[in-house]
């Protein structure tokens, strides 16, 4: 009988232990489910943040390309203006050179005219 009683006590002890292990397992399963939900939620948030950052990067890249294009167009326009200014300066320099030549020619004519007048005045005085 003693053996039966010991066996019953052992069975009761094992049942209690099994009950406790079952409760622990259920608690662990609940905790695992909660952690799994948290991880899924974090993964969704991270995915959304990644999409947002990728969109920002794409927008930034697009803006940079537009700015590069505008800069290139501005450089081309500026080069056109510089070329026009250089051509205008050359034209102006040519015109100034022509005017200087004309001025020298007119000064020579004026000097010659003065000499002629002085010479005629000298002839008139002699007469």
């Amino acid at each position: 009988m003693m053996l039966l009683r010991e066996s019953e006590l052992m069975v009761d002890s094992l049942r209690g232990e099994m009950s406790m292990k079952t409760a622990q397992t259920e608690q662990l399963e609940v905790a695992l489910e909660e952690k799994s939900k948290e991880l899924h939620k974090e993964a969704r948030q991270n995915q959304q943040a990644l999409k947002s950052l990728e969109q920002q990067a794409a927008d930034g890249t697009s803006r940079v390309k537009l700015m590069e294009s505008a800069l290139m167009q501005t450089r081309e326009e500026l080069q056109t203006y510089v070329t026009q200014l250089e051509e205008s300066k050359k034209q102006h320099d040519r015109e100034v050179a022509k005017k200087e030549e004309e001025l020298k020619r007119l000064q020579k004519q004026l000097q010659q005219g003065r000499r002629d007048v002085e010479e005629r005045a000298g002839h008139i005085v002699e007469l």
Side-chain angles (χ1 to χ4, degrees):
M1 220 23 156
M2 189 60 129
L3 196 53
L4 182 62
R5 179 79 183 128
E6 285 178 12
S7 292
E8 285 176 353
L9 286 175
M10 187 173 257
V11 167
D12 284 344
S13 173
L14 288 174
R15 281 186 182 150
E17 196 175 314
M18 189 170 149
S19 220
M20 190 171 70
K21 294 290 180 183
T22 301
Q24 283 179 342
T25 302
E26 287 173 357
Q27 287 176 348
L28 288 173
E29 285 176 350
V30 167
L32 178 63
E33 181 67 27
E34 287 175 5
K35 282 294 181 186
S36 179
K37 286 178 183 178
E38 284 178 30
L39 286 175
H40 285 306
K41 181 180 177 182
E42 286 179 17
R44 279 193 308 273
Q45 289 173 342
N46 288 340
Q47 190 67 25
Q48 288 173 345
L50 177 62
K51 284 182 182 179
S52 176
L53 289 173
E54 286 173 341
Q55 184 61 45
Q56 288 176 6
D59 291 346
T61 300
S62 178
R63 283 193 302 266
V64 166
K65 286 181 180 180
L66 287 173
M67 287 180 185
E68 286 174 342
S69 176
L71 178 61
M72 192 59 114
Q73 183 178 0
T74 302
R75 282 182 179 160
E76 290 171 0
E77 289 174 3
L78 185 57
Q79 185 58 45
T80 300
Y81 294 137
V82 167
T83 302
Q84 288 174 352
L85 278 173
E86 288 172 348
E87 194 57 42
S88 293
K89 184 183 180 305
K90 287 178 186 177
Q91 179 65 28
H92 175 69
D93 290 346
R94 285 191 296 266
E95 289 176 7
V96 166
K98 282 182 182 179
K99 296 290 182 183
E100 286 174 351
E101 286 177 24
E102 179 70 13
L103 183 61
K104 285 178 185 178
R105 187 184 61 77
L106 290 173
Q107 284 175 340
K108 283 181 182 180
Q109 283 180 352
L110 180 61
Q111 287 174 356
Q112 185 61 42
R114 281 185 185 156
R115 281 193 297 262
D116 290 346
V117 167
E118 288 172 3
E119 191 178 307
R120 285 183 188 161
H123 285 307
I124 292 175
V125 168
E126 288 176 11
L127 292 177

